[in-house]
Amino acid sequence: MAKAFRASAGIMLAPAVTLIGVFVLLPMLLTVWLSFQDWSTQTPFSDASFVGLGNFHEIFSPTSVGRDFKTALLNTTIYTALSVVLILPLSVVFGLLVYQREIAGGTALRTVLFSTYMVPMIAVALVWSKLYSPSEGPLNQLLGLAGIGPQPWLSSPRSALVSIVFLNVWQQVGYFTVLAIAGLTQIPGSLYEAATLDGANGREQFRFITLPLLRRTLLFSAVIAIINAVQVFEPVALITQGGPVGSTNVLTYHIRRVGIERAQGGLGSAMAVMLMLSLIVCVSALFAFANRKDSE
Amino acid sequence: MSLAWISKLGFAAGLIALPATGWAQSVNISYLTHWSPETVALLEAAAKDFSKEHPDVAVTVRAVPFGDLLTTLRSQGGSSDGPTIGGIYDLWLPELAKDKLVAPAPDAVAAEVKSAWPAGVVSAASVGGTLYGIPNEIDVYALNYNKELFKEAGIAAPPKTWAELKDTAAKLTDKARGQQGFGMINSWAAGVVHPFASLLVSNGGNLVKDGKPALDSSQASETFALYEDLIKSGASNPAMATADANTTGPFLDNFVSGKTGMIIMANWWESALKTGMGDKFANIATAPIPVGPSGDKPHSISYSWMTVVNAKAGEAEQKAAWEFLAWLNSLKSGKNGASAMSDILMSMGILPSRTSDIEAHKDKLGSEFLSGYVSVLADARPFPVVLGGQEFSESLQQTLEALQYGQVSAKDAQTNAQADATSILERAAK
């Protein structure tokens, strides 16, 4: 009986497992294998030659290859951290605002917030590159009305990456607000009623009921926000091309440049493996932190 | 015969003729370029003319931004379904040929090119003596300046030396009006490196000499120092220098709107200036690159573009592609003895490289803007076409941008640039 059950379970799982194996695991394993090879993306895999840890040594070396990779890794880290730090609190704030059923126009506000997520990135990039224009951009004109001098935005290595983060936050915050609202709907209203009867004010209710019960939602949001941020590519490719001075050169864009434009498949794969490892470490640490809080 | 039968016979004849119509255009070739929609329309019109004489060949044109051109060629050129023809920058040729992505030109095409184009241009389209593409355009750098701003600042003539360049740039700078004297470019490799290289060769130096980087020379040291001086004095503002993926953006906007007094740029941006400036384009003039303290006379950097054929395309597609390219670049395809390709290029202000095309377009090449470029062509030095050239160019771009933004000193920039270039070219040569 158990044998038959295992067989039927195996048969039912086989299509999904095969698809995942072929389209997810195999490319990942291939990338890891290529990271130990010297290989041009324009040649067959059979032309690859084993170089051991040579590619990893190269991407951490003091040469231009290593310097560019380390800059791209740092840029990606800053971009991801800033995006998550801004998106999560904003999504909770917007979620709380929109969740208030008694506020007129709540549904319209929810629609407006989510609509930014549906705008194609090419349109977002075009519009924001004009908004950020140093001389004729509306943002600088608005600042001028407030008596603030023009800002360089995308034209300065100090502000270019942060400007791209703002663009990302603007586009993504609606999606995460919807997730926050979904989390808020799961919190029983009776808890707030009981807290009110016990004399808890709004701030205390938020701190001791809303935030703890939103933790699972926020964990999910954080993981998705991190993965989205690490994969940033379009705004860099469409607006800044990684500049100025490599200040917006994020890893996905850099891997594309090295692996495809320069056809250095081995080096590009080593960079992709490092990106994957960083992501695994980061997400695992986040889950470990959440589990520890749960245990407490 | 009844009407019903006639219609049935007509329908049957149509069915029989349908495959024949398909056979009439049995070869489909595609042309990948980075040109603007207006220029693509001209190329499509030329392709239609070709198809009239060759009804068995259909040519489609596809355009991508310049920043995506090499990536598209690399990612799609390796398959038979990729673009059959690609317009490429000569710096990319050695690596595309090494990876066998581009096909050698047939003997007849090679013979025609070698006899009808200048030797230097043929050499840039060849690797190891084998011709891989039909050259079409040649680009050269010169100093563009705004005559109206010169007049306002009381400057009579464009600078001829670096000392005059610094002095003129200082006079043209007006921070209160957001105006810079000399415009640099960043966020675009060629836009950063080519003007620097033009100043370097006008100072008697070279980027690469005998296949090895030559950025450790005293001439290069003086060129890095010139950049540092222009930045430190405030005569050049890097925040006004950004370019985007289409090689337009703030650097162009600032020159077009009269906020940049001088800039070193190539002839091909004539169409962008005309579009952006309208009647005010008449204020723009061209002058040779100012000569550095170690230079003998004005020089500048030149580079060329060519059309290549996908080596992985089918035999029939390759044959049709070479036939189309040979026709497009021949004297019979254009107007007044010029090639159709040169007519397309001249619509953008780009100099054609075929000797007979230069003669055929001599009237337009004599315009105030373009004649300044034609005059410096004879003393121009080709940008070094070496394995690893694109990576070398991008690395030097990073160093120069760091210098523009004051992140490194001129001395450190020179040291870094030479060390990076040495490591990149050595690795590429292996």
Side-chain angles (χ1 to χ4, degrees):
Chain A
M1 182 71 182
K3 202 174 172 183
F5 176 75
R6 272 203 296 272
S8 72
I11 290 167
M12 283 188 280
L13 283 174
V17 170
T18 308
L19 284 174
I20 291 171
V22 171
F23 293 108
V24 178
L25 289 178
L26 200 64
M28 281 170 75
L29 290 173
L30 194 61
T31 306
V32 173
W33 178 74
L34 286 170
S35 69
F36 297 107
Q37 314 290 324
D38 181 16
W39 174 66
S40 162
T41 48
Q42 303 301 326
T43 57
F45 290 139
S46 55
D47 286 0
S49 58
F50 183 72
V51 291
L53 292 170
N55 288 328
F56 291 94
H57 181 260
E58 184 85 23
I59 63 175
F60 285 105
S61 68
T63 63
S64 62
V65 175
R67 212 167 44 240
D68 290 349
F69 169 72
K70 283 180 275 189
T71 304
L73 186 63
L74 180 66
N75 288 342
T76 309
T77 308
I78 294 170
Y79 178 89
T80 305
L82 274 178
S83 294
V84 174
V85 163
L86 289 172
I87 284 175
L88 289 194
L90 277 176
S91 69
V92 173
V93 170
F94 287 139
L96 286 169
L97 282 173
V98 174
Y99 188 56
Q100 304 298 319
R101 289 192 185 87
E102 58 268 27
I103 290 181
T107 309
L109 188 57
R110 215 178 290 192
T111 310
V112 169
L113 274 172
F114 191 69
S115 64
T116 60
Y117 188 67
M118 297 191 292
V119 181
M121 181 45 90
I122 179 71
V124 175
L126 282 173
V127 170
W128 279 80
S129 64
K130 286 296 163 201
L131 289 177
Y132 280 141
S133 174
S135 48
E136 293 128 15
L139 286 179
N140 273 350
Q141 288 180 0
L142 282 174
L143 290 176
L145 292 176
I148 302 170
Q151 300 302 306
W153 303 114
L154 298 165
S155 302
S156 164
R158 286 185 185 171
S159 55
L161 188 65
V162 178
S163 303
I164 297 284
V165 170
F166 287 158
L167 183 158
N168 180 50
V169 171
W170 176 84
Q171 200 194 23
Q172 303 260 332
V173 76
Y175 171 73
F176 289 96
T177 301
V178 171
L179 291 183
I181 294 167
L184 289 169
T185 57
Q186 300 300 310
I187 302 173
S190 56
L191 291 177
Y192 292 106
E193 285 165 20
T196 309
L197 287 174
D198 287 342
N201 60 28
R203 189 183 295 175
E204 286 163 338
Q205 287 180 23
F206 176 73
R207 187 176 165 193
F208 296 108
I209 299 174
T210 310
L211 262 190
L213 292 178
L214 261 186
R215 204 168 61 241
R216 286 278 155 197
T217 304
L218 288 177
L219 175 66
F220 175 74
S221 293
V223 171
I224 299 296
I226 288 171
I227 292 171
N228 283 354
V230 163
Q231 290 176 347
V232 57
F233 179 81
E234 295 102 322
V236 174
L238 293 166
I239 305 176
T240 62
Q241 302 277 294
V245 209
S247 60
T248 58
N249 190 26
V250 290
L251 262 181
T252 48
Y253 185 75
H254 190 61
I255 291 169
R256 176 251 207 185
R257 180 177 276 171
V258 173
I260 300 176
E261 203 174 290
R262 297 179 193 160
Q264 296 165 348
L267 276 177
S269 297
M271 291 174 187
V273 167
M274 286 313 302
L275 177 63
M276 190 166 68
L277 286 177
S278 310
L279 197 56
I280 288 170
V281 168
C282 185
V283 172
S284 301
L286 203 60
F287 274 109
F289 178 73
N291 286 339
R292 205 179 68 181
K293 283 276 178 195
D294 278 350
S295 306
E296 283 170 11
Chain B
M1 196 181 284
S2 70
L3 189 65
W5 270 105
I6 291 170
S7 57
K8 281 174 192 169
L9 281 173
F11 181 67
L15 281 178
I16 293 164
L18 196 63
T21 315
W23 291 332
Q25 286 208 341
S26 57
V27 183
N28 291 301
I29 57 174
S30 56
Y31 189 124
L32 182 71
T33 178
H34 66 292
W35 289 340
S36 68
E38 297 79 27
T39 316
V40 165
L42 295 176
L43 181 58
E44 283 171 338
K48 265 189 188 167
D49 288 345
F50 176 75
S51 290
K52 280 179 197 160
E53 293 174 29
H54 301 79
D56 55 333
V57 180
V59 186
T60 51
V61 183
R62 191 178 146 214
V64 293
F66 171 76
D68 294 331
L69 185 59
L70 180 58
T71 312
T72 310
L73 280 167
R74 280 219 172 269
S75 57
Q76 297 178 7
S79 88
S80 57
D81 295 330
T84 328
I85 297 168
I88 68 159
Y89 171 28
D90 57 12
L91 190 64
W92 302 340
L93 181 65
E95 279 162 73
L96 294 176
K98 187 191 81 176
D99 291 332
K100 298 186 174 60
L101 287 177
V102 291
D107 291 343
V109 172
E112 166 75 4
V113 169
K114 283 173 187 169
S115 67
W117 270 263
V121 178
V122 176
S123 157
S126 310
V127 176
T130 304
L131 186 85
Y132 282 90
I134 300 187
N136 45 39
E137 68 174 83
I138 187 156
D139 297 278
V140 65
Y141 280 76
L143 183 81
N144 288 148
Y145 62 99
N146 189 317
K147 290 185 286 185
E148 197 175 318
L149 296 184
F150 268 54
K151 200 175 163 188
E152 280 174 17
I155 305 164
K160 289 188 172 62
T161 64
W162 286 8
E164 287 178 18
L165 174 71
K166 285 194 266 190
D167 185 45
T168 308
K171 283 180 185 164
L172 288 167
T173 302
D174 185 344
K175 284 186 183 168
R177 287 168 63 184
Q179 187 175 305
Q180 62 174 348
F182 180 77
M184 293 184 186
I185 302 171
N186 61 54
S187 301
W188 161 36
V192 177
V193 174
H194 287 176
F196 173 84
S198 295
L199 287 163
L200 175 61
V201 293
S202 275
N203 192 35
N206 288 292
L207 285 177
V208 175
K209 199 172 181 186
D210 302 326
K212 289 183 179 161
L215 289 164
D216 53 354
S217 64
S218 60
Q219 293 93 335
S221 172
E222 287 164 347
T223 316
F224 281 106
L226 171 70
Y227 266 50
E228 192 173 46
D229 288 348
L230 288 166
I231 292 291
K232 278 190 174 168
S233 68
S236 191
N237 178 2
M240 297 171 75
T242 316
D244 61 22
N246 280 321
T247 64
T248 55
F251 87 95
L252 169 67
D253 299 341
N254 284 313
F255 190 69
V256 160
S257 58
K259 290 189 172 166
T260 297
M262 299 178 284
I263 191 167
I264 293 176
M265 258 304 285
N267 47 285
W268 59 258
W269 84 329
E270 183 193 35
S271 57
L273 292 180
K274 280 181 173 170
T275 307
M277 301 185 81
D279 293 342
K280 287 193 171 177
F281 174 71
N283 289 334
I284 304 304
T286 311
I289 303 286
V291 182
S294 304
D296 55 351
K297 61 177 182 174
H299 292 284
S300 62
I301 281 291
S302 71
Y303 62 93
S304 57
W305 278 71
M306 71 199 80
T307 37
V308 291
V309 172
N310 179 356
K312 303 282 165 56
E315 198 180 325
E317 281 77 16
Q318 285 197 36
K319 185 170 175 287
W322 284 117
E323 277 175 9
F324 173 62
L325 289 178
W327 173 86
L328 188 68
N329 289 281
S330 72
L331 306 183
K332 60 185 176 185
S333 59
K335 292 169 192 157
N336 306 321
S339 68
M341 175 58 91
S342 70
D343 290 341
I344 295 170
L345 295 172
M346 286 301 295
S347 75
M348 296 181 275
I350 295 176
L351 313 180
S353 57
R354 187 176 174 135
T355 312
S356 56
D357 282 335
I358 295 172
E359 183 61 27
H361 288 286
K362 67 179 178 190
D363 286 350
K364 196 175 176 206
L365 290 171
S367 71
E368 191 183 354
F369 184 81
L370 284 182
S371 61
Y373 286 99
V374 176
S375 68
V376 299
L377 203 51
D379 289 319
R381 304 267 166 81
F383 192 84
V385 177
V386 289
L387 269 174
Q390 180 65 18
E391 189 179 349
F392 161 63
S393 199
E394 286 166 1
S395 168
L396 183 55
Q397 172 201 358
Q398 293 295 318
T399 308
L400 288 171
E401 287 184 5
L403 179 61
Q404 284 181 16
Y405 282 98
Q407 294 179 352
V408 290
S409 66
K411 198 178 170 202
D412 289 344
Q414 184 183 14
T415 309
N416 295 347
Q418 176 69 10
D420 290 346
T422 305
S423 121
I424 290 165
L425 297 190
E426 275 178 6
R427 180 158 38 81
K430 276 180 190 169

